[in-house]
């Protein structure tokens, strides 16, 4: 199912993150076939302040720089990367700008995906941690699960990790993606384009439901291929700290999520901008996704594991 020379487009949304350069360099250093890897990096930076946050220049990096003050959030950035920087690469790996890589990650992703014998398979998880510059956590198998609904009716997700000794023989089928590690055929992002009108929370639950209802199946990797920096106190700025309008963006995004997943009509019609383009699919019903995920979006309930 996989051509031996398959190329991978790596999508990196960078918001004022000095880990971006080390992330790109580590990916190339650890790749089995670095010449088959190309990066699309949207760097949301403050000129004259964030020079250390830019991706390294090179033939393998396509970088678009925008002023951090004009950014509309993570989903907006991911959408621009996938529509403006991606070309004809047959596979996409979406990561965060603070990521490290296992040796041979590119070849191992392709082999794992091919081994599923499912052309509509998506590999995704919340990767195990690392601490900069490259202190890697012990291996484990993260499985993305529902955690709780917040007061606005938005579902939060969590990772439940299997011990390495209990590693499954095949990638297990799950309902939810983790946005910091999504490996899929490029066709998945053509059929289910990233929604630029979402802000942050609700990104993973809506994308998961949209992929499912368009006929795509999510699996958790049964090997450790990526690592993620989860620390919050190392000075990395957040969009909501810089952007005064983030509360309105977030409110519209929440209303959009509730419309998509719970059928709740929004008070502000701006919440439904281009909703037909970024809505659910018709291959499978949302109720079937809820059964797989163990959630009820209208009732805001989660089945006991």
């Amino acid at each position: 199912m996989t051509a031996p020379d398959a190329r991978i487009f790596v999508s990196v949304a960078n918001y004022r993150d000095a880990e971006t350069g080390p992330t790109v360099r580590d990916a190339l250093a650890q790749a089995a076939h670095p010449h088959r890897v190309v990066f699309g990096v949207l760097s949301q930076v403050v000129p004259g302040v964030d020079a250390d946050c830019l991706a390294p220049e090179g033939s393998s990096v396509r970088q678009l720089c925008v002023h951090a003050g004009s950014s509309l959030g993570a989903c907006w950035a991911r959408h621009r990367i996938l529509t403006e920087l991606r070309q004809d690469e047959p596979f996409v790996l979406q990561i965060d700008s603070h990521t490290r890589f296992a040796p041979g990650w590119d070849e191992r992703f392709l082999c794992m995906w091919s081994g599923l014998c499912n052309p509509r398979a998506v590999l995704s998880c919340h990767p195990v941690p690392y601490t900069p510059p490259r202190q890697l956590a012990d291996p484990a198998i993260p499985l993305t699960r529902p955690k709780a609904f917040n007061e606005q009716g938005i579902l939060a997700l969590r990772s439940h990790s299997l011990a390495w000794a209990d590693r499954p023989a095949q990638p297990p089928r799950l309902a939810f993606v983790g946005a910091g590690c999504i490996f899929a055929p490029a066709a998945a992002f053509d059929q289910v384009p990233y929604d630029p009108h979402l802000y942050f929370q609700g990104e993973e639950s809506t994308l998961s439901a949209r992929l499912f209802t368009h006929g795509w199946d999510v699996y958790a990797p049964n090997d450790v291929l990526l690592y993620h920096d989860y620390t919050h106190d190392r000075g990395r700025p957040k969009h909501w700290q810089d952007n005064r309008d983030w509360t309105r963006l977030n409110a519209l995004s929440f209303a959009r999520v509730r419309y998509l997943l719970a059928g709740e009509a929004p008070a502000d019609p701006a919440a439904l901008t281009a909703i037909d383009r970024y809505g659910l699919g018709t291959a499978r019903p949302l109720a079937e996704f809820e059964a797989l995920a163990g959630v009820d979006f209208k009732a805001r309930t989660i089945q006991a594991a």
Side-chain angles (χ1 to χ4, degrees):
M1 293 175 63
T2 303
D5 60 348
R7 291 167 293 122
I8 301 174
F9 177 83
V10 184
S11 170
V12 186
N14 161 30
Y15 189 83
R16 308 187 66 187
D17 187 2
E19 278 291 285
T20 302
T23 290
V24 172
R25 286 188 286 270
D26 191 71
L28 291 173
Q30 301 299 329
H33 307 285
H35 60 285
R36 301 178 194 164
V37 178
V38 63
F39 297 85
V41 183
L42 180 63
S43 290
Q44 303 148 86
V45 294
V46 177
V49 176
D50 296 328
D52 62 334
C53 297
L54 297 177
E57 295 182 358
S59 59
S60 61
V61 178
R62 304 170 192 150
Q63 181 167 211
L64 178 62
C65 294
V66 300
H67 196 292
S70 67
S71 170
L72 298 179
C75 296
W76 170 87
R78 299 196 205 275
H79 171 86
R80 291 197 62 180
I81 294 166
L82 291 165
T83 56
E84 297 178 39
L85 297 178
R86 180 168 61 100
Q87 296 180 3
D88 60 349
E89 296 80 17
F91 287 90
V92 170
L93 172 64
Q94 178 175 286
I95 63 170
D96 287 333
S97 54
H98 29 280
T99 300
R100 294 293 182 270
F101 296 77
W105 62 270
D106 51 334
E107 189 171 72
R108 292 161 69 184
F109 261 125
L110 288 167
C111 289
M112 186 182 297
W113 182 87
S114 182
L116 289 166
C117 298
N118 178 355
R120 300 181 72 79
V122 175
L123 290 163
S124 186
C125 69
H126 293 132
V128 297
Y130 82 93
T131 301
R134 204 175 191 278
Q135 181 180 341
L136 308 179
D138 292 336
I141 304 299
L143 307 177
T144 305
R145 306 289 197 197
K147 179 181 179 182
F149 286 90
N150 67 14
E151 293 180 355
Q152 291 78 31
I154 307 302
L155 179 65
L157 304 178
R158 64 181 177 87
S159 275
H160 166 72
S161 291
L162 296 178
W164 187 248
D166 298 325
R167 172 189 176 190
Q170 294 293 324
R173 175 89 183 278
L174 295 179
F176 294 104
V177 298
C181 171
I182 302 177
F183 182 85
F189 294 98
D190 293 330
Q191 295 174 17
V192 189
Y194 230 85
D195 188 347
H197 305 287
L198 293 179
Y199 184 61
F200 181 63
Q201 290 181 310
E203 170 188 10
E204 295 171 331
S205 58
T206 54
L207 181 59
S208 300
R210 291 175 62 220
L211 285 166
F212 180 91
T213 57
H214 280 84
W216 292 86
D217 300 318
V218 175
Y219 300 82
N222 65 333
D223 198 356
V224 177
L225 303 181
L226 299 184
Y227 301 82
H228 185 280
D229 178 17
Y230 293 98
T231 56
H232 299 289
D233 57 355
R234 63 175 175 82
R236 186 170 66 238
K238 307 296 191 296
H239 183 274
W240 51 87
Q241 295 170 328
D242 288 345
N243 193 300
R244 296 180 180 178
D245 197 36
W246 81 270
T247 52
R248 180 175 183 275
L249 293 173
N250 196 49
L252 288 173
S253 181
F254 278 2
R256 190 177 182 88
V257 172
R258 291 193 297 267
Y259 174 83
L260 280 169
L261 301 182
E264 180 181 320
D268 188 338
L272 300 186
T273 300
I275 194 66
D276 290 343
R277 172 70 172 148
Y278 305 106
L280 300 176
T282 58
R284 294 182 290 206
L286 180 63
E288 191 175 326
F289 173 78
E290 291 179 305
L292 175 65
V295 301
D296 185 318
F297 288 110
K298 288 183 179 179
R300 302 182 183 181
T301 57
I302 298 172
Q303 295 178 8

